[in-house]
Amino acid sequence: MNKQQTNDVILQTVTKVACFIILLFSFHLFFAGHNNPGGGFIAGLMTSSSFVLLLLAYDLKTVKNILPINFIYVAATGLFISVCTGIGSFVFGAQFLSHAFGYFHLPLLGKTELATAVLFDTGVYLVVVGVTMTIIQTIGERE
Amino acid sequence: MNNLVILPILIPLLAAVLLIFMNKSIKLMRAFSAVSSLAAVAAAAVLAQTVFTDGIQTLYLGGWKPPFGIILVADQFASILALTTAIIGFATVLYSFRSIGEKRERFFYYPAVQFLLAGVSGAFLTGDLFNLFVFFEVLLMASYVLIVIGGTKIQLRESLKYIVFNIISSALFVIGVAYLYAVTGTLNMADLSVRISESGHAGLITVIAVLFLIVFGLKGGIFPLYFWMPGSYYAPPAAVSALFGALLTKVGMYAIARVFTLIFTQNAAYTHQLMVWLAALTIIFGVIGSIAYWDVQKIIIYNIVTAVGVILFGIAANTPASIEGSIYYLIHDMIIKGALFMLGGALFALAGTNSLKKMSGYMKTHPALGWMFMISAVSLAGIPPFSGFIGKLKIAEGGFTSGEFVITLLMLLSSLLVLYSVMKIFIYGFWGEEWKDAPRNRSVKGFIYPAAILLFLSLAVGIGTEFVAPYFHQAADTLIHPEKYIEAVLKE
């Protein structure tokens, strides 16, 4: 960071495009997880890899300006969501972590299967993003 | 359908998550972790009472029937251990207020403690071998954080050793689970027990049993595998040592007690004989360590090794009396080691050193601390009105019944040396003239009242043996008759 900024026009321009493609692919992986290979873990890694690409093309400060998030709290939020999907079973009088699903008619998407496992996976996704980014940012910050 | 079983795991887990959000305000973190630890104690107590009146409680996670789903099983053994864990967690949280220091508190100390408690309770309550592994990892990860938090030189050095040995033992654990899964095709403990008694692979199963003994021996600190313990328990501050000394090795002992009474019962002549010899060597090396050192913490740490040997001997002798004695001694040792580490920490705070040669005369200035140390010392050695007595008595009874005269006598003799080692702390630390240039008039009130809670509990168990005996008897009953456990888990 204290060395002189090199001229990375090509890297930065490609990053601007590639970053969104990687993000989209990670969302695809996340939603595909129920019936195809994918899921919260790999999607979280893929999302953080797009952030890492940003970190490589720009520097820590710029990325912190773009994403002013404390990633420790992201991981904690993820854990909280996952634990809460289990606690929901207390409300409905079911066994802990019982899974429920149903078919709904959503606007635009039509008949869609919604499952509570997706909520659990959202927690996993956030934990993975939070933990990976915390590790990379704290190591990167050290002089 | 009984979600009560998961509460001793869920409360610390949820508390840990919420505590991460509170890391700006130390007061809020302290208050919240004390309240949630108290709630965990209450939940575990209700669970123990429910198990006592209604029998073994099970919870099928997600509603999947065993052996296909994950199951939590609370028999009396697991639930009194979960209760003891919650109580020790509560006392340690109180102890941390005064002793741990703001710098550590800011770096997620309280969440790490709660994660550790969640992992330990989970390891006690699970009914599935792979989940046991996962809960071991949860508690180990939290203990890695706790051992290194603060970042002093000795902590960095010892945490490296601690992490390396634990990673190796965890890898061996996974290998053991893989072998067992390859032979039997199941991971549910009750189902494993049934399939192993039906299968004919006696030789293979014995090899796997010894592998598990090595794994849990590394976690629990039995004879050739305890070498990592003295250094790593010496490094962190007293509150963390108390938590480690009271809980971590005991999870290893619980796992040995569980798998060698439930799963690996086929070739007991070989495996239990091996355990008897390992127990004897553990006791010998433990007492040698504890009488050799002139350092308060080191003496207490080597007493853990001795206690682990005694508990292992009770399990290995494999008679109803000795198994019941092991359970008594396990609970007693968890409580009293927590208290001893806390009192040792108070002594360190007073004297500024752990060396017995540089302290004396604290009886005059701090009589409460002195008497509490005295009581925990005689309780550790197993003097009759205190809690250590009944456990050792029953283990000795079982040892004589199973014909292990030499080792039983060895165990009884070890009590003398244990008493000598802790009395050495008492005599050199508390008797005599006051040390001239020692820092004076420091209040240790915050240090001794959490220890007082544990000591009171220990006294209650010792004097009120008649009252607690039915619980312990029921706990031993499911270990001696594993078919009750299997029936509770695999019932239709």
Side-chain angles (χ1 to χ4, degrees), chain A residues 72-73 76-77 79-80 83 87 89-90 93-98, chain B residues 1 3 6 10 14 17-18 20-21 23-24 59-63:
Chain A
I72 294 176
Y73 293 144
T77 312
L79 264 180
F80 186 70
V83 175
I87 293 175
S89 62
F90 282 85
Q95 314 249 7
F96 190 79
L97 278 179
S98 287
Chain B
M1 143 69 211
N3 277 329
I6 202 168
L10 196 59
L14 196 60
V17 173
L18 292 175
I20 295 176
F21 290 107
N23 82 321
K24 291 279 185 289
L59 171 63
Y60 307 147
L61 289 183

Side-chain angles (χ1 to χ4, degrees), chain A:
Chain A
M1 282 105 262
N2 43 13
K3 74 180 167 207
Q4 213 190 338
Q5 200 72 35
T6 46
N7 200 350
D8 310 327
V9 181
I10 296 175
L11 178 62
Q12 293 183 349
T13 315
V14 172
T15 301
K16 276 174 196 162
V17 181
C19 193
F20 286 102
I21 298 174
I22 298 173
L23 269 180
L24 271 180
F25 183 54
S26 79
F27 291 144
H28 169 73
L29 278 177
F30 178 76
F31 287 110
H34 204 66
N35 298 313
N36 289 304
F41 185 79
I42 184 70
L45 277 183
M46 197 61 93
T47 305
S48 17
S49 79
S50 83
F51 295 158
V52 171
L53 183 61
L54 276 181
L55 278 170
L56 287 175
Y58 299 89
D59 56 78
L60 265 174
K61 241 185 224 153
T62 321
V63 176
K64 272 207 170 153
N65 278 336
I66 304 170
L67 300 164
I69 307 167
N70 186 342
F71 281 99
I72 294 176
Y73 293 144
V74 173
T77 312
L79 264 180
F80 186 70
I81 292 171
S82 290
V83 175
C84 281
T85 55
I87 293 175
S89 62
F90 282 85
V91 181
F92 295 106
Q95 314 249 7
F96 190 79
L97 278 179
S98 287
H99 171 240
F101 66 98
Y103 293 93
F104 298 93
H105 275 282
L106 300 181
L108 288 178
L109 293 172
K111 187 183 164 198
T112 315
E113 184 189 0
L114 293 180
T116 53
V118 177
L119 289 175
F120 190 86
D121 239 19
T122 314
V124 174
Y125 174 81
L126 289 175
V127 170
V128 173
V129 172
V131 168
T132 320
M133 290 312 292
T134 309
I135 292 171
I136 288 167
Q137 281 187 341
T138 37
I139 294 175
E141 269 169 5
R142 287 284 151 81
E143 290 294 312

